[in-house]
Amino acid sequence: MSFLPLVYHSHYSIPFPAGHRFPMQKFALLEEELRRAGVLTDNNLFSPSPMSLTTLMRAHDPEYVQNFVRGRMSDKAMREIGLPWSDWLVERTLRAVSGTLLTADLALEYGIAVHLAGGTHHAHKDYGTGFCIFNDQAVAAIHLIESGKAKKVLVLDCDVHQGDGTAAMCASYDVIETVSWHCEENYPAVKQAAGINIQIPKGAGNAEYLAILKADIPRLLDKINPDFIFYDAGVDVHKDDRLGFLNLTDEGICQRDQYVINECRKRNLPLACVIGGGYDKDQAKVAWRHSILHKAAFSYLTLKS
């Protein structure tokens, strides 16, 4: 059986105010679900080291990074992010970005790797918003290019919300291309013009969504011709999501993830996957939806072995 590296740290789920809209416990619940399913074991678990602030500040504004790490953010800036500042939040935020960097390195080594966090695609160079503080995919993509590990990086973002921060942060890099499939009537209110943006009609279900995706992905992969891919597999496209306006089922999300993985891997493109958004009052339901991605990757490798 082929090997599927999974990246997780116990600090991804931190002490957090009860009833907050952000499902902070979903990361720990996801780890539990993947262990129950036999997808995650101690043998394929990789844990990220502390984040290098030097690497982080190559992508993000140094003053912004320092203000967040040292607890100097204004109340207004933290309200825009939507998360309460704490030392715990600093630790889990930095650790999760480091986790996406590790996921990218593992994808280069093994062909595919999946993070149990990541996808903070609303964070911009010098500010955070929409529950996103630092943009893990942008940081990792820029690091891959500047370190010479990749020559052309493609970000495929299937979160229900536009990957506006990722597009903005990568816009000055000709060798990083971002593609966002997102609900046309959803956050952010003002959409980012950079990158390739493909709008999904409000209320679209499995068939309509997958038809759009299948019309775009092969063409874009062949046209852009990357040598590395990030995939943001947000599950806020689900019909029961609190913050999404699409109507995909569990099966629709599974078909989406299987399709993206297959199209990338049959071209032998290294693929680093992150979980993106997902919101439900029942955090166990969100965790289960996120597990669809990891199970799809595991099934793909099992069938190929």
Side-chain angles (χ1 to χ4, degrees):
M1 185 181 296
S2 297
F3 184 73
L4 177 65
L6 299 178
V7 175
Y8 175 73
H9 195 283
S10 61
H11 290 176
Y12 286 176
S13 288
I14 62 172
F16 211 60
H20 196 283
R21 281 203 307 170
F22 186 81
M24 186 60 77
Q25 292 308 306
K26 71 177 184 178
F27 309 102
L29 293 168
L30 173 58
E31 187 245 2
E32 292 174 9
E33 169 59 28
L34 294 175
R35 285 191 180 275
R36 278 196 298 268
V39 174
L40 174 62
T41 69
D42 290 343
N43 292 329
N44 68 336
L45 171 63
F46 293 80
S47 185
S49 302
M51 182 68 205
S52 162
L53 294 186
T54 300
T55 299
L56 186 62
M57 289 188 290
R58 288 196 184 103
H60 281 284
D61 176 72
E63 184 178 2
Y64 171 57
V65 172
Q66 292 167 2
N67 284 341
F68 174 72
V69 170
R70 296 173 181 173
R72 297 175 180 172
M73 299 281 285
S74 69
D75 291 343
K76 180 181 179 181
M78 290 309 301
R79 282 196 301 271
E80 181 66 24
I81 289 169
L83 302 172
W85 189 93
S86 68
D87 289 330
W88 269 114
L89 184 66
V90 173
E91 158 60 17
R92 73 90 44 212
T93 299
L94 295 176
R95 190 76 66 168
V97 178
S98 179
T100 296
L101 286 164
L102 175 57
T103 305
D105 283 340
L106 291 167
L108 286 168
E109 183 175 356
Y110 293 99
I112 182 171
V114 190
H115 199 181
L116 275 71
T120 46
H121 62 172
H122 297 309
H124 287 249
K125 184 179 179 68
D126 56 358
Y127 69 93
T129 185
F131 303 141
C132 302
I133 299 165
F134 300 129
N135 194 309
D136 61 303
Q137 291 172 99
V139 171
I142 291 169
H143 175 70
L144 287 178
I145 293 300
E146 293 189 345
S147 65
K149 294 179 179 179
K151 295 180 180 179
K152 186 67 176 290
V153 175
L154 173 61
V155 179
L156 302 176
D157 191 332
C158 287
D159 192 281
V160 79
H161 306 106
Q162 187 195 36
D164 57 325
T166 313
M169 288 183 66
C170 296
S172 61
Y173 290 83
D174 293 338
V175 290
I176 304 176
E177 185 66 82
T178 62
V179 185
S180 175
W181 289 266
H182 52 269
C183 181
E184 60 188 353
E185 297 181 42
N186 210 318
Y187 183 91
V190 178
K191 300 294 190 289
Q192 175 64 230
I196 298 171
N197 294 288
I198 300 164
Q199 296 185 343
I200 307 293
K202 184 178 181 179
N206 294 346
E208 184 175 8
Y209 183 97
L210 291 168
I212 293 170
L213 208 65
K214 290 179 179 181
D216 293 327
I217 284 188
R219 171 180 58 84
L220 290 169
L221 290 177
D222 294 338
K223 178 182 178 181
I224 296 169
N225 193 28
D227 61 1
F228 192 94
I229 295 181
F230 288 98
Y231 172 42
D232 185 337
V235 296
D236 40 15
V237 295
H238 195 275
K239 62 184 181 65
D240 295 328
D241 193 86
R242 295 177 73 186
L243 302 180
F245 299 144
L246 298 183
N247 285 310
L248 273 69
T249 63
D250 293 346
E251 179 60 27
I253 291 173
C254 183
Q255 290 179 23
R256 176 197 69 176
D257 293 346
Q258 289 174 335
Y259 182 76
V260 172
I261 290 168
N262 185 67
E263 288 297 313
C264 294
R265 290 303 299 140
K266 76 181 185 182
R267 292 170 170 80
N268 293 315
L269 297 172
L271 178 63
C273 307
V274 298
I275 68 171
Y279 306 91
D280 194 296
K281 290 182 179 179
D282 186 341
Q283 297 195 43
K285 289 183 178 179
V286 178
W288 197 93
R289 291 169 199 157
H290 282 308
S291 77
I292 294 171
L293 168 67
H294 309 74
K295 293 168 183 174
F298 184 79
S299 295
Y300 171 84
L301 290 175
T302 302
L303 290 172
K304 292 296 181 182
S305 63

